[in-house]
Amino acid sequence: ATPRSTARELVLEALERYGLAPEEGTSGEYVLCDVVGRPGGAGGAWQVEHLRAVGDSERPLVLQDVWKPKAGCSRRFEIRRRQEVEREGEAGEVGGEDQPP
């Protein structure tokens, strides 16, 4: 990844690297998410405080330099199924099982 890499490029590269490259026409099935949270859930699980789907043309490394999480939190980028992220957003959930609604 470089500062010029877009979220879409990084998703496609990761899917290809792990042998999960989507079929033609389904490349939009996955989305890069900017996830802010902290360890400390049950069994040391990651507790999500904020999750946002990164726009396909956004540049994650630039985003990382521009905006820092609050003290005590850290950021990670995750690849998730777009449909699941949209469903969580509609339900008002932030992080699935690790985070209460």
Side-chain angles (χ1 to χ4, degrees):
T2 71
R4 296 184 60 122
S5 301
T6 66
R8 170 69 18 219
E9 291 168 345
L10 295 176
V11 167
L12 292 174
E13 184 177 321
L15 292 174
E16 183 178 307
R17 180 173 291 168
Y18 293 104
L20 301 171
E23 299 296 320
E24 180 140 347
T26 62
S27 64
E29 183 178 347
Y30 295 91
V31 64
L32 187 68
C33 293
D34 183 4
V35 184
V36 175
R38 66 183 83 213
W46 178 260
Q47 290 185 296
V48 175
E49 293 194 9
H50 175 75
L51 180 142
R52 181 183 75 87
V54 177
D56 288 345
S57 61
E58 287 186 76
R59 299 184 185 328
L61 293 182
V62 172
L63 175 68
Q64 190 173 18
D65 284 341
V66 173
W67 183 81
K68 305 288 184 199
K70 67 182 180 181
C73 289
S74 58
R75 160 190 278 133
R76 67 185 189 185
F77 290 99
E78 299 178 355
I79 297 173
R80 295 187 177 204
R81 290 188 184 273
R82 187 178 301 273
Q83 185 177 8
E84 292 171 8
V85 172
E86 290 170 356
R87 194 174 329 135
E88 286 177 5
E90 290 170 3
E93 296 176 5
V94 177
E97 296 177 18
D98 293 341
Q99 179 74 19

